[in-house]
Amino acid sequence: MKKQIILFLFCLLSLSAMSQTTVTKTQHRQAVKTDVVTTGTLTIRKPDYVCISTDGDKDQLIMDGTKFTMTMGGRKHTTDSRKNPQFATFQQVLTAVINGQPIPAGDDLTVTTRGGQTTVTITPSVKKKKRQLFTSFVLTVDSKTKAFRLLRMNGRGDDYTEYTFK
């Protein structure tokens, strides 16, 4: 009986530590006239698991601890925040927001608050930009609820991938 109660409590805690939100992904490529728009889900499990899945799970962006995996258009990219400073900052910001903690200060990020929303922009230093997949990340969070509102990953030129959360 004690094991069943412990299992029940564990299940309740697991459910409360996980949330799922609807997401719309807009992929803009300068060379293509029309943006590609797909929908999917954002799944968060505390303390540090985030999965954005769109287009019937064909495209995914996953943060699992220090490991980041991005699958887009059948191509898979992986990095580890222990080796990639841009993703290290991104992981620190995401983890802080998910856990309701203050956003950490850093040389490669700026934080602005306006109209009930906090916007965090992560831009790597000039030396580190050459080898990065993205030139910057922009994360917008509701200041009160700490809910994600927008994640924009800027590529080279005017290319970007933007996730809008509802």
Side-chain angles (χ1 to χ4, degrees):
M1 182 70 169
K2 286 183 184 180
K3 287 181 182 179
Q4 291 174 332
I5 292 172
I6 291 171
L7 181 61
F8 176 73
L9 290 172
F10 177 76
C11 289
L12 282 177
L13 289 172
S14 296
L15 288 174
S16 66
M18 185 168 83
S19 67
Q20 197 166 34
T21 304
T22 302
V23 62
T24 301
K25 174 183 153 192
T26 303
Q27 195 162 12
H28 175 79
R29 298 290 174 248
Q30 187 176 5
V32 180
K33 263 187 177 180
T34 309
D35 291 347
V36 177
V37 179
T38 56
T39 58
T41 58
L42 163 70
T43 303
I44 298 174
R45 278 195 323 249
K46 289 184 179 182
D48 58 2
Y49 176 86
V50 177
C51 176
I52 302 171
S53 179
T54 59
D55 198 18
D57 292 339
K58 290 180 187 174
D59 292 344
Q60 293 184 328
L61 179 60
I62 300 171
M63 179 186 87
D64 190 2
T66 62
K67 184 179 177 185
F68 286 82
T69 306
M70 183 176 77
T71 306
M72 288 182 142
R75 297 180 71 186
K76 190 174 192 174
H77 305 273
T78 60
T79 190
D80 193 302
S81 63
R82 293 175 291 196
K83 297 176 183 173
N84 187 324
Q86 182 182 26
F87 279 85
T89 302
F90 187 54
Q91 178 194 11
Q92 290 171 349
V93 170
L94 284 179
T95 302
V97 171
I98 290 168
N99 294 310
Q101 300 167 340
I103 295 169
D107 294 337
D108 53 353
L109 65 90
T110 56
V111 180
T112 56
T113 303
R114 185 172 31 171
Q117 293 190 350
T118 301
T119 301
V120 181
T121 304
I122 303 166
T123 308
S125 68
V126 176
K127 280 198 269 185
K128 298 173 187 168
K129 266 189 184 179
K130 285 183 182 179
R131 303 186 75 202
Q132 295 294 332
L133 190 57
F134 302 104
T135 58
S136 66
F137 295 121
V138 179
L139 177 66
T140 303
V141 179
D142 185 287
S143 298
K144 286 183 182 180
T145 65
K146 303 298 182 203
F148 294 123
R149 294 292 174 228
L150 179 104
L151 171 61
R152 182 176 173 136
M153 301 180 305
N154 293 308
R156 309 231 180 269
D158 290 331
D159 293 354
Y160 64 84
T161 301
E162 186 173 275
Y163 298 93
T164 307
F165 307 101
K166 297 178 177 140

